[in-house]
Every structure is written in C-alpha cells, then in structure tokens.
Amino acid sequence: MGAEESKKKETSLLGSAEALEVIEAARESKWERPSFALQLFHGRVAPSLIFPYAVQSEEDRRAGDAFLAELESFLKRNVDADAIDRTGEIPPEVIKGLARLGCFGMKIPKEYGGLGFSQVNYNRAISLIGSHCGSTAVWLSAHQSIGVPQPLKMFGTEEQKRKYLPRFANGAVSAFALTEPDVGSDPAKMSTTATPIDGGASYLINGEKLWCTNGPVAEVIVVMAQTPERAIGGKTRKQITAFIVERSMPGVSLVHRCDFMGLKGIQNGLLKFSDVKVPKENILWGPGRGLKLALMTLNTGRLTLPAGSIGGSKRCLQIAREWSLERKQWGGPIGQHEAVAAKLGWMAAHLFAMEGVTWLASAWADRGDLDIRIEAAMAKLFCTEAAWAIVDHTLQIRGGRGYETADSLKARGEAPLPVERMFRDARINLIIEGTSEIMRLFLAREALDPHIQRAFAVLLPKYSLPQRVKAAIKAGLFYAGWYPQQWIPALPIGAPAEIPPRLRRHWFFVRAQSRRLARTLFHQMMIYQQRLEKQQMVLFRIVDIGVDLFAMSAAISRASMLEREGESAGAPGSASSGRSQSAVELADLFCIYARGRVLRALCHPSSPEDRPAYQVAQNLLKGRYTWLESGICK
Ligand SMILES: Cc1cc2nc3c(=O)[nH]c(=O)nc-3n(C[C@H](O)[C@H](O)[C@H](O)COP(=O)(O)OP(=O)(O)OC[C@H]3O[C@@H](n4cnc5c(N)ncnc54)[C@H](O)[C@@H]3O)c2cc1C
C-alpha cells in the first residue's frame, strides 16, 4: 500500500486529519470524574454521578434570586421586546441600564469588578432575559458566554485580566470572531492571517469575519487568525492564534451590518481587518492555541443556549396553556381536543427534561472537576431542538393569531402575544455555537473514540505488522470480556433509593438500553468499519439514543430531588408538595416519549430509506430532477 493510500485509509477511519485536530483541540486535561453521558454509549450507567441531582448552594441561590428580582423588574419596565424587533435597535438607555445592573459582568469575578456569578446563576439570568427578549439575551450572551471575558477569564494572564475585565464589567461590549465567509462549521480552515512584524513584537491581522454578534458595537473583540505554520514532532502544523483586538485599532472596519429573520435587535456584522497592528501582549494563551481556546470557550459557552431556550419555552407554555383554556371551538376549550392536548403534554414533559439537563450540566460546570463537554453539547442539541418544536406547537395552538405579529394583534384590540417574533427568534439556536449536525458529529466521534483507540489501531497501516498484531491481541482480550457483558440482562433491582416508585422502571430502562446501545454501536462498527464515519444517518440515530437516555436520567434525578424537597416541606397540598408530585408526572411522561424514540432507533439503527435517500440526493445534485423545479417564478 502506498503512503498516499495509507494516509487515506487512516483518515477515513477517523475523519479528516484537520477535523480530528479540531476534536482533539476541544478536549481538556484529564478529568477527575468521567462524563456520565459518554459512558451511556458504552453500557455503563453510573448512578453516583447523577444522584443526588446537583443543585446550587443555598447561598448561591439567594444571591441569584435577589439579582433576578431586580433584573425582572428592569426588563418589565424598560425592555419593550416588540419595539426592539420593530426598530432593529436595543435603545442605548437599555444597554446602559443593563450595564448598571451588572449584566455585562455577570460571569466576571468580583475581584475584577464583576458579579462573580456561578454558571447556574448566569444561566438563570439568561433564561429570564430569553423569556422576555431574545435579542437582549443574545447580545449579553455573545458578550460574556463567548466574547472576550470568557476566554480571558479562562486563559488570560493576570495583566490582561486586570487591564480588560473591569472595563467589560462596566459595560464595554465584546465579541467573538471565528466564522468567516468561507468557513463556518469547519473553523480550522480559516483564512484570516496574523503575520508577525517587528521581530515578533507585533502582528498584522488581515481577513474578514462574518456574522460577528456585537461586532458593530464592540469595543474589544477576540479574533482567531492563522499565524505562521510551525514544525512540531517533525510535522508542519497549522497555527491558529487568538488575539484581543480593540475595535479602535486602525484597520478594523464594519463592512455590513447583517439583518436576520429574527433577533432583529442584535448588532451583528461582517468585519474587515486590514493590516491591523496588534501587539504580541494581546495574544491570548499563547501562539497556536487559538482553536483550542475557541473550542474550549464554546464547551461551556454553549450552555447559555439551552438556558435561553428554557426561558422562551416557559413563555410559550404559558401562552399555549392560557389560550387552550380561553379559546373555545367545536363545543369546548381547544385544550380538551386530543390533538391540542397531545401538544400541550409534549411541551410540558419536554420542558421539564430541558430543565433537568440544563441545570444539571450548569451545576456540573460550576464544580469544575467534571468533563461536561458531552453534557453541554447534548444540552445544546436537545434543548434547542425541543424549544423549536415547542414554539412551533405554540404557534399552531394559537392558530392564525400565532402567525400574526404582536403589533397587529394589538392594533385590532387583542392581547399582543409575541409568538410570531419568538418563532423567528428561536430558529437560529439550532445553528449558532455548533449546528445540530455538528453537535451530533462531535458526540458521535466522542462515543466512538474508545473503540477507535482500541480496535481500529489494529487496522491502521501506519503501524508495523508486529505492532498491529500486539494491538489485535490486546483488543481481542478486551472485547472478549467487554462484549458478553453487554448481553447480561440489567436486572430491575438496585435502583437508587431516592427514585420515586413510578420512575423506577424508567431508570431500569436506561440501564438496560445503555447496554443495548453499546452493542449496537459495536455492531455498526463491525458492519461498516472504516465507512462508519460517513454513515451519518446511522451515527446520528445512535447519538440521539444517547441524548434521550441522558435526558431521561436527568429528568428522573431532578424529579427525585423535587419529590424529596416536597416531602421535607411537609404539608400535603402545599406548593412544594404539589410541585413534587407533578414533577414525577412530567418526568414519567417525558420518559415514555423518550423510550418510544429509543426503542425505534435501536430496532432500526440503519433504516431502509437511508441508501435510496442518499442516492436520490446525489442524483439531485447532479441535476437529474431539475424538472421537479419547473413552474416556479424566480
Ligand atoms: C445570528 C448569527 C449570529 C452568529 N454569531 C456568531 C459570532 O458571534 N461569532 C462567530 O464566530 N460566528 C457567529 N455566527 C456564525 C455561526 O456560528 C455559523 O453560522 C455556524 O457555525 C454554522 O456555520 P455556517 O453558517 O457557515 O454553516 P456551514 O458550516 O456552511 O454548514 C451549512 C450546513 O451544512 C451542515 N454541515 C456542515 N458540515 C457538515 C458535516 N461535516 N456533516 C453534516 N452536516 C454538515 C451544517 O450543519 C449546516 O446545516 C453567527 C451566525 C448567525 C446567523
């Protein structure tokens, strides 16, 4: 086999070399505790990782409650979300007011003038803002979930922190510039360059960054750019470096403010960098570490999207509930008709699970000893997709009024419920900070990784024959023990004591199906071998099973916690006792939905339509069906 062919075989096993580097870059150090969700793909369900449900401390909750009360009153008094949508501007006094409240420094440590919030309190704030105005939530989130404060906090030098963090806490807006016109999901291929000058004392940045949220108004932007390649371990490596760039630096210009179907109030633009001179002191974390920095920033940064999705979904549920009672058609409230009731049930159960997943992952992010990349990616994927279904159901339940703008409803004397705006605002969440497809690819790669390390080394032509024989013996011994274990029935005994009786069967289901998932993943590897990486339809079904099993576990754990809280609060019929009982009902219904999806996918990891669908798509791309497009007016 020639070198070229060997290389091709190796990279087709594992994904392209650059794609692999991107995934490796997102990894952090060795964690003290493994990922609960990742283990689900390998037949392991670790109750000690998920019980009891992780919650914030009382002290942390109190600090958050006080802030949220102030924030809510500010939003009600000052933020007119429909006016922002109509005018495309968040008024400067709103921005100043939010800065005065401390919203620009929620995640900045107190010693640098910020509020020093935990991830949970920060996400609670974003959820509240997201329930009221999507544009305001995204403005603040782009500033501190991914904008300069976050990577600066994680990777900046003390000097950089002292210089910039107090400025941000006081209201200086920041942005994150990774995407370019030719690179979106695949940032490793970026073309913006940073060329060293003056013997490396400074760099000249040249290139364009697209869709930079806050870009048009930011004072400071973190910009990822290519610095000269370096030889590492005998190989020439592409270097991506992160720079703190002041918007006032000569050469930074706004080419265009972008306008979208929703989030009309955000300031988002195409930025151009022409010979922008940046001192080397503005490099974050060191040369060549920019891609890792960007991906590690996104690891936790993307938890804000599920939080915002929760806020929007709560508002939708409220609107749908009230309208389903108020609107009477065909002899009764529409909520009593089964088709509408089914939507309401789905919405409530999935919202409960969204909260289960998000608050758990947020609390784990605060602990700092857990690998939460997998849970954060699952939370992003699950919550943004569920939130999109929830806003869609809400629009359908509102009927024609769901499609009508709030302004138009108001003008003819009806309640200006903003479902039309919320629908437009929600769609982007499935695209930004990792599209749903990229989240699934990332999760698939992580799920496959232990097998790739173990089994596929046997096939890699880069190893010598004796090395491959040794790897084959090692892998054979491992799988001889591991594979039969995945067939041992998970007996319905030994559930954690705190799980309410009604939810125990679901916990046993998670345990049993996790083993079946492990077997299925292994079988697909055996069937497709090197080609598995390309079988996205199969891989994505496998990922979705893992996501549902994680969401079930989180929902069960949260309902168990809420039931205990209700029990200890005493008084039957009290608010907390009512909540604890209904939490169990919601978790139960969510688990019933998820079980159906999991079983369907496990029965058919590959589906009869997969190959014909791919073939038709390729034929379509070749122009075979252009006749289908006739009769349109372009
Ligand atoms: C409102 C808004 C705000 C944004 N804010 C920022 C910001 O602040 N900073 C920033 O840097 N960027 C920002 N972005 C960019 C955003 O992160 C990108 O849009 C996103 O990463 C996807 O890139 P793309 O749009 O170029 O899609 P592409 O990468 O071109 O993908 C197009 C489609 O192909 C799919 N796809 C791509 N590759 C694969 C694959 N290998 N397998 C299967 N499917 C695949 C994608 O999932 C998608 O459906 C913003 C975008 C918008 C619209």
Side-chain angles (χ1 to χ4, degrees):
M1 191 181 288
E4 197 43 43
E5 219 178 314
S6 307
K7 176 83 186 156
K8 227 163 116 189
K9 185 164 183 193
E10 181 175 337
T11 53
S12 71
L13 278 174
L14 310 174
S16 77
E18 264 170 351
L20 262 185
E21 275 169 31
V22 171
I23 286 163
E24 287 304 329
R27 296 213 170 106
E28 298 174 32
S29 49
K30 283 266 174 249
W31 298 95
E32 282 170 40
R33 286 157 66 102
S35 156
F36 173 85
L38 190 58
Q39 294 194 47
L40 291 170
F41 291 99
H42 303 289
R44 287 189 300 272
V45 180
S48 62
L49 288 178
I50 203 161
F51 290 100
Y53 188 81
V55 285
Q56 57 183 155
S57 68
E58 255 321 296
E59 192 191 343
D60 195 43
R61 186 198 297 272
R62 272 201 300 275
D65 287 349
F67 177 79
L68 292 187
E70 246 188 291
L71 178 61
E72 187 180 350
S73 120
F74 177 85
L75 293 170
K76 280 186 184 153
R77 280 186 286 110
N78 302 289
V79 181
D80 181 342
D82 290 314
I84 289 173
D85 184 60
R86 196 183 317 121
T87 60
E89 302 292 334
I90 302 180
E93 58 275 15
V94 169
I95 300 293
K96 281 191 198 130
L98 289 167
R100 261 197 311 276
L101 274 177
C103 288
F104 281 78
M106 285 188 272
K107 283 186 82 183
I108 296 176
K110 284 185 181 161
E111 56 185 301
Y112 302 106
L115 297 181
F117 271 4
S118 61
Q119 185 72 34
V120 174
N121 275 340
Y122 171 66
N123 281 353
R124 288 173 72 198
I126 293 293
S127 176
L128 182 71
I129 303 168
S131 71
H132 188 75
C133 175
S135 292
T136 307
V138 169
W139 177 300
L140 287 170
S141 157
H143 164 69
Q144 61 204 308
S145 296
I146 54 174
V148 191
Q150 184 62 14
L152 188 56
K153 205 173 83 172
M154 290 166 77
F155 309 106
T157 61
E158 192 49 40
E159 205 183 333
Q160 288 171 331
K161 288 182 194 173
R162 297 229 167 269
K163 182 169 173 193
Y164 287 104
L165 287 178
R167 240 172 100 184
F168 296 128
N170 280 330
V173 179
S174 79
F176 174 88
L178 180 66
T179 306
E180 297 180 359
D182 290 331
V183 293
S185 306
D186 192 5
K189 301 234 168 55
M190 71 177 55
S191 62
T192 296
T193 54
T195 313
I197 54 164
D198 305 335
S202 297
Y203 287 76
L204 280 185
I205 300 187
N206 281 289
E208 283 190 337
K209 291 289 177 181
L210 184 59
W211 297 322
C212 182
T213 305
N214 293 350
V217 292
E219 280 184 33
V220 191
I221 308 171
V222 56
V223 179
M224 267 52 74
Q226 264 197 70
T227 41
E229 291 181 338
R230 279 178 56 206
I232 300 171
K235 278 190 187 165
T236 309
R237 299 254 175 209
K238 201 172 188 171
Q239 299 288 292
I240 292 174
T241 302
F243 292 87
I244 302 172
V245 176
E246 300 262 359
R247 188 72 169 68
S248 58
M249 286 172 168
V252 184
S253 59
L254 173 67
V255 180
H256 172 70
R257 179 182 166 188
C258 304
D259 183 24
F260 303 102
M261 69 183 281
L263 299 181
K264 292 285 184 184
I266 61 168
Q267 292 277 345
N268 177 299
L270 171 61
L271 301 181
K272 189 169 176 140
F273 299 83
S274 311
D275 284 339
V276 180
K277 187 173 174 184
V278 184
K280 76 169 189 319
E281 289 71 31
N282 283 26
I283 290 179
L284 263 173
W285 204 23
R289 307 182 93 172
L291 188 60
K292 190 168 177 105
L293 172 140
L295 297 172
M296 283 173 66
T297 301
L298 284 166
N299 282 344
T300 2
R302 62 167 61 97
L303 273 175
T304 320
L305 284 164
S309 299
I310 286 173
S313 300
K314 280 175 182 274
R315 179 86 174 103
C316 281
L317 190 69
Q318 183 196 34
I319 291 172
R321 175 177 56 78
E322 290 175 356
W323 185 246
S324 298
L325 280 169
E326 185 188 329
R327 180 70 171 168
K328 297 191 176 63
Q329 293 288 292
W330 302 88
I334 55 170
Q336 284 176 5
H337 299 312
E338 205 165 270
V340 175
K343 291 185 180 59
L344 293 171
W346 194 97
M347 290 162 69
H350 282 75
L351 177 54
F352 182 80
M354 284 164 69
E355 290 211 83
V357 162
T358 304
W359 302 126
L360 185 66
S362 306
W364 281 349
D366 282 328
R367 286 181 39 159
D369 62 342
L370 279 159
D371 177 3
I372 59 133
R373 288 168 311 126
I374 308 300
E375 284 80 1
M378 285 187 172
K380 198 273 175 185
L381 175 62
F382 176 76
C383 294
T384 55
E385 294 200 339
W388 175 239
I390 286 174
V391 74
D392 188 33
H393 287 332
T394 307
L395 195 150
Q396 190 69 14
I397 289 171
R398 283 278 290 160
R401 286 166 180 82
Y403 195 64
E404 189 172 3
T405 65
D407 284 347
S408 173
L409 287 163
K410 191 173 175 183
R412 60 183 188 80
E414 289 210 27
L417 298 177
V419 178
E420 176 267 347
R421 165 172 57 79
M422 293 173 76
F423 186 84
R424 286 186 284 108
D425 285 353
R427 186 59 181 84
I428 191 59
N429 293 334
L430 285 75
I431 296 169
I432 46 176
E433 296 181 29
T435 65
S436 287
E437 290 79 13
I438 296 303
M439 288 298 92
R440 288 192 169 91
L441 273 182
F442 163 74
L443 291 167
R445 176 59 176 75
E446 287 293 328
L448 280 172
D449 188 63
H451 294 298
I452 288 172
Q453 305 291 349
R454 209 174 278 123
F456 283 167
V458 174
L459 303 169
L460 292 181
K462 76 173 177 184
Y463 295 117
S464 66
L465 189 62
Q467 279 174 318
R468 282 158 64 189
V469 170
K470 206 171 146 195
I473 294 169
K474 216 171 145 193
L477 285 174
F478 173 81
Y479 285 110
W482 178 85
Y483 184 70
Q485 274 175 32
Q486 307 315 313
W487 285 95
I488 299 172
L491 296 177
I493 47 170
E498 59 255 68
I499 301 183
R502 185 165 167 181
L503 300 181
R504 291 212 173 138
R505 69 187 183 106
H506 300 311
W507 177 254
F508 297 136
F509 177 90
V510 171
R511 277 198 335 208
Q513 300 315 313
S514 163
R515 288 188 192 171
R516 196 165 158 201
L517 173 61
R519 299 198 300 265
T520 305
L521 182 58
F522 184 74
H523 296 160
Q524 299 308 311
M525 273 173 34
M526 292 300 105
I527 296 168
Y528 292 107
Q529 298 189 12
Q530 299 96 308
R531 289 171 294 123
L532 183 57
E533 173 240 333
K534 299 261 181 240
Q535 311 299 312
Q536 292 189 348
M537 297 183 219
V538 172
L539 284 177
F540 285 14
R541 275 182 208 113
I542 285 176
V543 165
D544 287 349
I545 297 167
V547 173
D548 260 331
L549 293 180
F550 172 54
M552 284 177 75
S553 309
I556 294 169
S557 178
R558 181 158 180 261
S560 308
M561 179 270 290
L562 289 172
E563 200 200 42
R564 288 223 151 175
E565 260 182 17
E567 273 171 13
S568 57
S574 66
S576 52
S577 131
R579 193 174 60 162
S580 71
Q581 283 165 18
S582 50
V584 173
E585 285 162 23
L586 291 170
D588 184 41
L589 177 59
F590 173 74
C591 289
I592 293 170
Y593 280 120
R595 286 168 78 122
R597 291 190 291 256
V598 166
L599 289 177
R600 275 191 298 279
L602 280 169
C603 284
H604 303 288
S606 56
S607 197
E609 73 271 16
D610 290 356
R611 286 312 99 207
Y614 189 80
Q615 202 47 57
V616 165
Q618 300 317 303
N619 288 339
L620 178 89
L621 295 175
K622 285 181 199 144
R624 193 171 160 85
Y625 314 119
T626 44
W627 52 268
L628 270 176
E629 297 162 18
S630 67
I632 54 174
C633 178
K634 286 194 265 189

